[in-house]
Amino acid sequence: MELELIQRAVPVLLKGLSVTAFLSAVSVLIGFHLGLGLALMRLSENRFLSGFAKYYSMVFRGTPLLVQLFLFYYGLGQLSFIKNSEMFWWVISDGTRCATMALALNTAAYTSEILRGGLMSVPAGLVEAAQASGMSRFLRFRRIQFPLAIRQALPAYGNELVLTVKGTSLASTITVLEITGYAKRLMSQTYAIFEVFAIAGALYLIINLVLISLVRMLEARLMRYQTRSR
């Protein structure tokens, strides 16, 4: 790998780093809250809410993210009511916004299953004790169920965060210039396929290593009471 090529490629690929970070951060932020809502719906006794959350998760987890991106970006624009709606058209008319929506809806499906597993792992006795002490449903969830559930779900959710970051590379297929988008452009200019994508892969690796380290630090902080008790 020539030093001159590295000096040319790195600044170009770093231009896409901010877009990759934006796609990852916004989609995770939206996806986590939507996934939490879907997890609560899935555990609801209401059959309609539970069924909606179940089939939502089934559809988005059972189809490729690339197909979802194409359907949102190329398919929805052909529907008349989407064209006539300023809000919907504003979302799908821009590649970055459309990619963010697709990533958020996709990660929400996986997040809902991860959080559902965490919520189901909370001992029923703790919830019953909180209920007997007079706590409201919201207070029980905020002080007992959610903190315990997130501790159990965090390792699996860390993996989902990494997958979301890697999933942003597919946004280049709908004209978004993130790291992979700039790598494709640079490849067409230099024909250095291996070198350019090796550097792009290294950037993704660095991002995910930082992300994994942050998740592990958070996990250690949340589980510190177990370490002290040993």
Side-chain angles (χ1 to χ4, degrees):
M1 186 177 293
E2 297 179 359
L3 180 60
E4 182 181 353
L5 178 61
I6 296 176
Q7 292 176 340
R8 178 182 177 183
V10 171
V12 173
L13 295 178
L14 287 177
K15 292 180 182 179
L17 182 60
S18 60
V19 179
T20 296
F22 174 81
L23 289 173
S24 302
V26 176
S27 60
V28 165
L29 181 64
I30 297 174
F32 180 83
H33 290 87
L34 181 58
L36 178 59
L38 289 168
L40 294 175
M41 290 170 63
R42 186 73 183 275
L43 296 173
S44 172
E45 296 180 357
N46 187 305
R47 295 180 62 183
F48 174 77
L49 294 178
S50 177
F52 174 82
K54 176 182 177 181
Y55 288 109
Y56 175 95
S57 175
M58 185 183 302
V59 169
F60 278 91
R61 291 191 302 125
T63 55
L65 176 58
L66 183 61
V67 173
Q68 296 167 20
L69 278 168
F70 282 174
L71 285 175
F72 288 138
Y73 189 68
Y74 297 110
L76 292 182
Q78 299 180 11
L79 302 178
S80 57
F81 76 93
I82 295 291
K83 293 180 180 179
N84 297 329
S85 173
E86 293 184 5
M87 182 181 69
F88 288 125
W89 183 251
W90 179 81
V91 173
I92 68 167
S93 62
D94 178 77
T96 302
R97 291 192 291 265
C98 188
T100 302
M101 178 187 68
L103 286 164
L105 294 177
N106 183 271
T107 192
Y110 289 93
T111 301
S112 68
E113 293 298 320
I114 293 170
L115 294 179
R116 182 173 72 94
L119 290 169
M120 292 178 65
S121 70
V122 177
L126 292 178
V127 180
E128 293 173 357
Q131 186 176 4
S133 66
M135 286 188 181
S136 64
R137 179 175 296 181
F138 175 75
L139 192 60
R140 291 198 306 268
F141 178 79
R142 184 171 66 87
R143 289 189 175 181
I144 296 176
Q145 291 174 283
F146 182 74
L148 292 175
I150 202 66
R151 289 170 184 161
Q152 298 295 325
L154 191 57
Y157 187 64
N159 293 333
E160 173 57 24
L161 293 178
V162 170
L163 291 174
T164 301
V165 172
K166 293 192 293 185
T168 60
S169 62
L170 296 176
S172 62
T173 61
I174 55 172
T175 71
V176 179
L177 285 175
E178 37 70 65
I179 293 176
T180 304
Y182 276 107
K184 289 181 178 179
R185 173 181 288 186
L186 193 60
M187 177 195 67
S188 64
Q189 296 171 352
T190 63
Y191 299 101
I193 301 174
F194 177 81
E195 294 86 346
V196 169
F197 279 97
I199 297 172
L203 288 177
Y204 282 110
L205 180 61
I206 292 171
I207 295 171
N208 285 325
L209 287 176
V210 172
L211 188 59
I212 291 171
S213 298
L214 293 174
V215 171
R216 287 180 177 174
M217 289 171 58
L218 179 59
E219 184 181 357
R221 180 175 178 81
L222 292 176
M223 304 297 288
R224 64 187 183 279
Y225 73 95
Q226 291 186 349
T227 305
R228 292 175 181 175
S229 63
R230 291 177 182 176

